[in-house]
Amino acid sequence: MKRTILIGLAVLTVLSTGCKKYTQPELGARKVDILTQGKYQFKDLNKNGKLDPYEDWRLPMDQRIADLVSQMTLEEKAGLMFHPNIAVNESGEVKYDLTPEEKEAIRKAEEERYAGPIGPGGQNAGAMAMGQVRRAATAKSYIEEKNFRCILNNGVAAPEKFAKWSNTMQEIAEASRLGIPIVFSSDPRHSAKLGGHVSGTQYFSHITNGEGQIGLTAGGDPEMMRRFGEIMAEEYRAVGLHMFLGPQIDVITEPRWSRNMGCFSESAELTADMTAALIEGAQGENVGPGKILVHLKHWPGSGPHLGGTGRWLVYPGNNQEYHYLPWKRGIEKGALAAMGYYSGTFSDSLNVNYSYHMSTEVLYGELGFKGAICTDWGVVGNGPLKPSLQGKTTRKDNMEMIINAGVDQMGSETQPELVVELVKEGRVSEERINLAASRILQWHFILGLFENPYVDPARAASILQSPENEAFGMEAQHVSNVLLVNDGTLPAKEGIKIFVDGIAPEVAAKYGTVVEKPADADLIIYRTTSSPDRRGGGFGGGQTQQEVNIDFPAEKLARVKELVASGKPVVADINPTGSSLVITPELKGLPKAILLSFDPTDAAVMDVIFGRFNPKSKLPFEIPSSMDAVRAQKEDMPFDSKDPSFPFGFGLSYAD
């Protein structure tokens, strides 16, 4: 039986003249032996009793990758090209295998699936339903049988249980033929309240808005963004996560697109600056242990969607290069992962993941990207958007197109056997597979996972939501508020009678006396969102071209009017959800004060209203005054809304 071995960090020096000095990395070994050469230790990952180049941490990464790829089977290399989902659950228990009953249910579902052409929008995609996919996601199947080594974990668990789960999964990977560790990725986790891609109890620090960093961007301080990147890396690595599926560096030039609030700004320059700062914090100068990789999305910049529908990218202002600015900066800062979107491109009427021009000629050729490209989740099932191909391709056809376009990895997919078939049929070359594997393995090596993929569960519990990180989180939530209108009503005086709608009464009670009727209040606070639900498309490729309306909802406008009619001063706090929003002159003139907030807690909003925090943040995008103005804009052009209610960079403060 192999023992758990941990070789501590130490500087070991060869005394012979002309020999290099090396720093012995910390080795975490639970299923393999440790090899010793002179004063240095290495992991015998392939269990052959000798030191192979890929096991030798002293060698250049390229040399290690080349040796490893040469030892991998086609099946093992194909497994690297998939990025499926396995989520830790609250129990922290690893599901190693299915019961006989579960296996039979999956077998029946497999028999019934449709394997023919994929229809427009992805119907009949030839895969199990997502619920069946989740049921089939076991450590044995995904790690040992399918050779997956990049896994999206959007589950939640207490830090210690989360870390133990990650360690158990890494033990299974270490025991495999070549001992290749797992890169665990995650969508954004550091919101004030979980929702969207990650939901459940919030165990990470409460810092940003739901899916992006637009609130921090409003604060205008790159140092805050850098610090956020540092905290994210610290907390992700503490539980065994290694890659942030972000940031979302799309530029907000089309206000109707439903994922704008996951972005940074309408300014490509500001987006680039904040992207650089986040990468500096998350990746550092040298990624290594303690840091994480970012996964820039969505190539080629998904802000300019036709009418905001999320299906086709258009450039009526001939401004495509503008949307490349954040990508250029991110690549300069060392980003090694890029995610394409579902969108169709103007150049060849193929969605970007299927386009050789966009993926290979532009991203690799023109922009000099050196990492690996992954599709967005579900892109294979959606199929190519090219009209002549819609409904005429199989899942395997789609994989062939995607791989030969230059894309290295497929998000959410779980059928590596199809890639093996493509190579054996001569439709994809093994050289292309080797290239994809080499690009992806950069992630594993640069993160230091071949040396030590394990984490300390007890330490994880002390790092997540540390007092220092939570204090920074409240600072971030404070700057996630922009004061748009104020006739002098704010800051409010503490202790007054307040009526709240959309604010937790127990929170409001810390600032004033909460009353039950608007007529009894000295101040009315109405907190709401810009829409009752997510409008338009944004997360998939099957959206229609029907108009996306971002007017403030009529029922909520009616509520503002009702509260104003009470004769008491009204403060409206509006939280944009997904898309941007229209604030008409009518709405602008109703409340005594208007705040635009990007998902902060109730306490952070109340701190601003009552002057405990002086708002100084500025709008990272302009706010149109009408839907007519929105329709007249060009999807790819910034700052082109006629007579906006509030221009880019607008924001009020209280008098000092």
Side-chain angles (χ1 to χ4, degrees):
M1 177 179 293
K2 294 189 169 54
R3 296 173 298 148
T4 298
I5 304 172
L6 190 67
I7 306 296
L9 186 68
V11 178
L12 302 178
T13 305
V14 178
L15 299 178
S16 303
T17 304
C19 291
K20 292 182 178 180
K21 297 178 181 180
Y22 296 105
T23 299
Q24 170 73 52
E26 185 178 84
L27 301 182
R30 299 189 177 188
K31 297 294 181 179
V32 301
D33 289 328
I34 294 293
L35 301 171
T36 300
Q37 284 199 2
K39 297 183 178 181
Y40 302 102
Q41 289 81 41
F42 310 87
K43 292 172 67 174
D44 186 16
L45 292 165
N46 63 2
K47 299 92 177 164
N48 67 354
K50 65 178 183 180
L51 182 62
D52 290 84
Y54 87 91
E55 300 164 339
D56 190 342
W57 46 261
R58 298 169 300 182
L59 296 177
M61 183 174 64
D62 289 350
Q63 188 173 338
R64 298 181 72 185
I65 290 173
D67 177 65
L68 178 55
V69 171
S70 73
Q71 296 192 41
M72 296 176 72
T73 65
L74 176 59
E75 288 75 13
E76 288 167 337
K77 289 181 285 191
L80 280 175
M81 299 177 68
F82 290 76
H83 203 136
N85 301 38
I86 298 183
V88 63
N89 57 38
E90 286 278 6
S91 74
E93 296 178 1
V94 169
K95 185 174 185 179
Y96 177 71
D97 199 5
L98 298 171
T99 65
E101 293 77 16
E102 288 172 327
K103 289 180 179 179
E104 178 61 16
I106 296 296
R107 186 191 65 78
K108 289 182 178 179
E110 284 273 71
E111 286 181 352
E112 295 171 359
R113 68 181 178 168
Y114 182 82
I118 296 173
Q123 63 266 36
N124 301 329
M128 292 180 288
M130 186 55 70
Q132 291 284 5
V133 171
R134 292 193 184 101
R135 288 173 58 194
T138 66
K140 179 180 181 180
S141 172
Y142 279 26
I143 300 172
E144 296 179 346
E145 298 172 354
K146 293 178 180 289
N147 302 296
F148 296 149
R149 291 300 184 273
C150 298
I151 293 174
L152 169 60
N153 179 2
N154 275 349
V156 297
E160 191 166 352
K161 291 181 178 180
F162 199 131
K164 288 179 178 178
W165 182 92
S166 299
N167 285 345
T168 301
M169 295 286 282
Q170 295 288 7
E171 283 187 38
I172 296 169
E174 187 180 286
S176 66
R177 190 178 77 89
L178 294 172
I180 300 172
I182 303 167
V183 168
F184 283 111
S185 66
S186 174
D187 281 296
R189 287 182 172 270
H190 283 88
S191 53
K193 181 179 179 181
L194 283 178
H197 286 100
V198 182
S199 59
T201 303
Q202 176 58 292
Y203 293 106
F204 289 74
S205 294
H206 305 78
I207 298 176
T208 64
N209 57 299
E211 287 286 330
Q213 294 77 47
I214 198 164
L216 271 175
T217 303
D221 184 358
E223 186 55 41
M224 284 192 70
M225 191 67 73
R226 187 177 298 107
R227 177 62 183 141
F228 165 61
E230 292 172 349
I231 292 173
M232 178 167 54
E234 177 188 39
E235 296 196 349
Y236 272 40
R237 285 304 291 255
V239 298
L241 295 170
H242 315 107
M243 176 179 283
F244 170 47
L245 292 188
Q248 188 180 324
I249 60 174
D250 310 297
V251 183
I252 308 174
T253 54
E254 168 47 66
R256 291 169 288 187
W257 188 43
S258 69
R259 297 192 66 176
N260 282 330
M261 294 305 107
C263 303
F264 289 91
S265 173
E266 187 169 354
S267 164
E269 292 83 3
L270 179 56
T271 298
D273 289 343
M274 290 298 183
T275 297
L278 189 149
I279 293 175
E280 288 171 2
Q283 295 195 171
E285 293 185 7
N286 298 298
V287 179
K291 292 296 184 179
I292 61 174
L293 289 170
V294 300
H295 197 134
L296 302 181
K297 62 184 187 184
H298 303 89
W299 174 251
S302 297
H305 274 100
L306 178 63
T309 59
R311 190 174 178 87
W312 293 97
L313 295 174
V314 293
Y315 306 94
N318 195 29
N319 203 30
Q320 186 173 16
E321 290 286 333
Y322 185 75
H323 295 265
Y324 292 167
L325 292 178
W327 288 90
K328 292 177 179 178
R329 185 72 69 84
I331 291 168
E332 290 172 359
K333 286 292 181 179
L336 289 173
M339 184 186 297
Y341 200 55
Y342 308 93
S343 320
T345 62
F346 79 98
S347 59
D348 47 20
S349 69
L350 285 167
N351 25 339
V352 63
N353 296 278
Y354 292 74
S355 171
Y356 179 84
H357 171 67
M358 294 307 305
S359 297
T360 296
E361 293 181 342
V362 180
L363 186 54
Y364 283 115
E366 295 180 20
L367 272 60
F369 182 59
K370 303 297 183 184
I373 305 174
C374 182
T375 71
D376 211 328
W377 267 233
V379 163
V380 174
N382 287 340
L385 292 179
K386 192 177 183 71
S388 63
L389 294 175
Q390 275 281 283
K392 299 179 181 178
T393 62
T394 64
R395 179 169 293 269
K396 188 160 71 172
D397 294 334
N398 294 347
M399 289 186 180
E400 176 188 8
M401 294 178 68
I402 287 168
I403 295 168
N404 286 335
V407 176
D408 307 294
Q409 200 172 63
M410 291 165 278
S412 80
E413 297 301 316
T414 59
Q415 294 176 279
E417 66 274 12
L418 296 183
V419 173
V420 173
E421 291 175 14
L422 287 169
V423 174
K424 292 182 177 180
E425 293 167 7
R427 296 164 63 180
V428 174
S429 71
E430 189 158 1
E431 289 74 19
R432 173 69 189 95
I433 303 301
N434 291 343
L435 176 59
S438 299
R439 288 171 173 169
I440 294 162
L441 283 169
Q442 291 179 95
W443 302 345
H444 302 70
F445 278 104
I446 199 170
L447 286 161
L449 299 181
F450 279 92
E451 280 63 63
N452 185 18
Y454 301 108
V455 294
D456 181 351
R459 183 171 177 269
S462 67
I463 289 176
L464 272 66
Q465 293 187 2
S466 69
E468 296 81 7
N469 292 354
E470 284 290 277
F472 174 82
M474 180 53 73
E475 183 183 356
Q477 292 174 47
H478 280 151
V479 303
S480 296
N481 299 276
V482 181
L483 183 61
L484 299 180
V485 172
N486 184 25
D487 73 341
T489 297
L490 301 185
K493 183 179 180 180
E494 294 197 28
I496 62 174
K497 292 183 289 184
I498 52 177
F499 174 84
V500 293
D501 182 345
I503 296 279
E506 61 271 20
V507 174
K510 298 176 182 179
Y511 299 83
T513 301
V514 179
V515 297
E516 296 185 359
K517 298 178 181 179
D520 295 334
D522 298 314
L523 182 68
I524 295 170
I525 303 171
Y526 176 47
R527 189 174 191 201
T528 187
T529 64
S530 63
S531 62
D533 51 32
R534 190 184 304 279
R535 275 190 290 248
F539 284 90
Q543 299 81 15
T544 66
Q545 297 299 320
Q546 66 188 25
E547 181 177 62
V548 179
N549 181 9
I550 59 171
D551 270 324
F552 191 65
E555 68 275 13
K556 295 185 176 182
L557 179 61
R559 178 58 172 162
V560 173
K561 291 179 178 179
E562 177 186 1
L563 294 172
V564 169
S566 70
K568 301 303 175 73
V570 174
V571 177
D573 176 71
I574 303 173
N575 197 116
T577 52
S579 307
S580 183
L581 75 160
V582 167
I583 294 182
T584 62
E586 179 187 25
L587 174 59
K588 183 178 178 180
L590 284 170
K592 296 294 185 180
I594 298 177
L595 278 171
L596 197 70
S597 298
F598 301 106
D599 295 332
T601 58
D602 286 350
V605 173
M606 295 295 281
D607 280 352
V608 173
I609 291 174
F610 283 87
R612 295 186 186 180
F613 179 82
N614 184 5
K616 296 181 181 179
S617 296
K618 307 299 180 184
L619 277 178
F621 54 88
E622 65 183 5
I623 298 182
S625 57
S626 70
M627 275 303 300
D628 285 341
V630 170
R631 297 183 192 101
Q633 292 184 246
K634 294 181 178 179
E635 287 90 342
D636 59 331
M637 298 298 294
F639 321 126
D640 66 335
S641 183
K642 183 178 180 181
D643 299 324
S645 288
F646 301 98
F648 168 81
F650 182 84
L652 302 174
S653 294
Y654 301 144
D656 295 330

